[in-house]
């Protein structure tokens, strides 16, 4: 279960990253993209945030209980904090969302590798 959640977490983090980096470029070259969008940029961030948060918390908690390396919680916690800042403060949303997404993705990758290589069973 944890490995699947880590893969989902990595995917969600990269979807967020791609959205933050590609949409502005698309809007420059294809302004019509803005008029055909079915959800606003703010709504999209809230939707991704509500998906990323529980996946990160559950998978990283399960992984940390298995491999006992709780240092992974530091970058993931900072990443979640940056995502919260990006959702709340729109003037820094691009930078904080990109950095937060990268930190969470790195945490998921490390968690996945640690569980894949050397996991202890939860007692």
């Amino acid at each position: 279960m944890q490995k699947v959640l880590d893969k989902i977490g990595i995917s969600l983090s990269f979807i967020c990253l791609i959205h933050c980096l590609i949409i502005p470029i698309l809007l420059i070259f294809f302004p019509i993209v803005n008029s055909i969008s079915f959800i606003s940029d703010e709504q999209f961030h809230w939707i991704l945030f509500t998906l990323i948060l529980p996946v990160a918390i559950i998978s990283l908690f399960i992984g940390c209980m298995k491999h006992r390396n709780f240092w992974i919680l530091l970058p993931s916690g900072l990443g979640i904090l940056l995502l919260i800042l990006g959702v709340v403060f729109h003037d820094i949303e691009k930078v904080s969302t990109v950095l937060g997404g990268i930190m969470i993705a790195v945490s998921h990758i490390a968690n996945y590798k640690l569980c894949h290589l050397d996991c202890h069973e939860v007692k």
Side-chain angles (χ1 to χ4, degrees):
M1 170 91 167
Q2 171 269 325
K3 290 180 182 181
V4 172
L5 287 174
D6 276 329
K7 288 179 182 180
I8 292 170
I10 293 165
S11 300
L12 288 172
S13 295
F14 281 114
I15 288 170
C16 190
L17 180 66
I18 289 168
H19 173 263
C20 286
L21 297 177
I22 299 296
I23 293 297
I25 294 169
L26 283 176
L27 289 174
I28 291 170
F29 292 108
F30 306 104
I32 194 154
V33 170
N34 196 31
S35 64
I36 61 172
S37 178
F38 61 92
I39 58 173
S40 70
D41 198 39
E42 183 179 341
Q43 290 172 323
F44 187 80
H45 282 117
W46 274 106
I47 290 168
L48 271 179
F49 178 72
T50 58
L51 293 173
I52 288 171
L53 186 64
V55 169
I57 290 171
I58 293 168
S59 67
L60 293 170
F61 177 76
I62 292 170
C64 285
M65 293 305 291
K66 288 181 179 178
H67 55 66
R68 308 268 190 233
N69 186 342
F70 293 95
W71 283 103
I72 286 179
L73 297 178
L74 182 63
S76 62
L78 289 173
I80 290 170
L81 178 65
L82 285 169
L83 288 183
I84 291 169
L85 290 174
V87 168
V88 174
F89 300 106
H90 300 292
D91 53 336
I92 62 168
E93 75 178 328
K94 295 294 183 201
V95 173
S96 65
T97 303
V98 167
L99 291 175
I102 290 171
M103 292 179 87
I104 292 172
V106 167
S107 296
H108 280 297
I109 292 167
N111 193 48
Y112 182 85
K113 285 182 178 180
L114 283 170
C115 276
H116 186 67
L117 295 175
D118 180 38
C119 264
H120 308 287
E121 291 300 317
V122 179
K123 296 179 182 177

